[in-house]
Amino acid sequence: MKYIEVDEELYRHIASKTERIGESASDILRRLLGLSVDAVEQPQPLAISQPSLEAEPIQPVAAQTMPAVNDFSRLVDEHQLSQQKGAVGRFLFLLESLYQLAPEQFSQILQIQGRDRLYFARSKEQLLEASASANPKEIGASGFWVTSNNNTAKKRTILSEVLVQFGCDATVAAGIAERV
């Protein structure tokens, strides 16, 4: 694996161009530069050295998916969402709204995690044990915690994955996640 150093602005730009879960930095750059992804048999992922931001893809959840929630239109209260402070506040608000729609199914978010990263847990301590820099935040009064030190693009990707696992259409999920 080759490593390159990039400044934070460039890193955020590359991360913001993620189009699908699991897309590596190398795939993103190939797409942006108009290079064929198929031309390389086993592409080496491009590791971008940036300790404060996570670039690893979210790993797919095990074969079972969460039972579908029927009405995702109730998830977004635009007025309340606009009152949230920053991307972290909007991320937590949308996760809490989903919890309120389906509290009995919500524990299955614990299956969603990165290759080497825990995104959700039942306690702050579990997230801190997995990563000292996780900056755990409780999702409302749900009893579930989420790591909040990911960049906005990663928060959107995580939220979109959660929504899809709850049975939300991928396009609708992406639209909701864009509100983070």
Side-chain angles (χ1 to χ4, degrees), residues 8-168:
E8 188 169 320
E9 179 184 16
L10 182 56
Y11 175 83
R12 288 181 187 274
H13 178 75
I14 293 168
S16 74
K17 299 299 179 183
T18 302
E19 289 185 351
R20 61 179 169 74
I21 294 172
E23 187 173 32
S24 69
S26 184
D27 291 342
I28 295 167
L29 288 171
R30 285 183 160 284
R31 182 173 34 76
L32 293 174
L33 295 170
L35 301 173
S36 171
V37 176
D38 298 332
V40 179
E41 287 181 24
Q42 293 274 339
Q44 294 280 336
L46 180 63
I48 300 174
S49 182
Q50 180 64 259
S52 65
L53 301 172
E54 295 297 320
E56 66 205 29
I58 294 176
Q59 295 300 308
V61 175
Q64 79 180 62
T65 58
M66 297 177 195
V69 172
N70 294 325
D71 189 6
F72 288 95
S73 64
R74 294 185 356 199
L75 181 64
V76 183
D77 178 327
E78 294 295 340
H79 177 70
Q80 286 185 337
L81 183 64
S82 69
Q83 295 178 357
Q84 303 306 310
K85 184 177 178 185
V88 172
R90 291 186 299 274
F91 180 59
L92 290 169
F93 174 78
L94 290 167
L95 286 169
E96 182 180 10
S97 296
L98 185 58
Y99 170 77
Q100 291 171 354
L101 272 178
E104 65 285 345
Q105 300 169 17
F106 203 71
S107 66
Q108 293 184 44
I109 64 165
L110 298 173
Q111 297 174 26
I112 299 171
Q113 52 189 299
R115 180 180 59 228
D116 297 318
R117 184 80 188 254
L118 188 62
Y119 295 125
F120 297 97
R122 292 296 299 203
S123 71
K124 177 180 184 176
E125 292 73 25
Q126 282 180 297
L127 289 174
L128 287 173
E129 188 177 303
S131 171
S133 64
N135 195 18
K137 302 282 186 203
E138 188 169 15
I139 301 169
S142 68
F144 292 90
W145 292 73
V146 63
T147 185
S148 68
N149 73 333
N150 297 303
N151 62 37
T152 301
K154 179 60 79 176
K155 286 179 183 72
R156 288 175 178 152
T157 302
I158 293 168
L159 180 60
S160 183
E161 176 68 13
V162 168
L163 291 167
V164 167
Q165 291 302 318
F166 270 81
C168 185

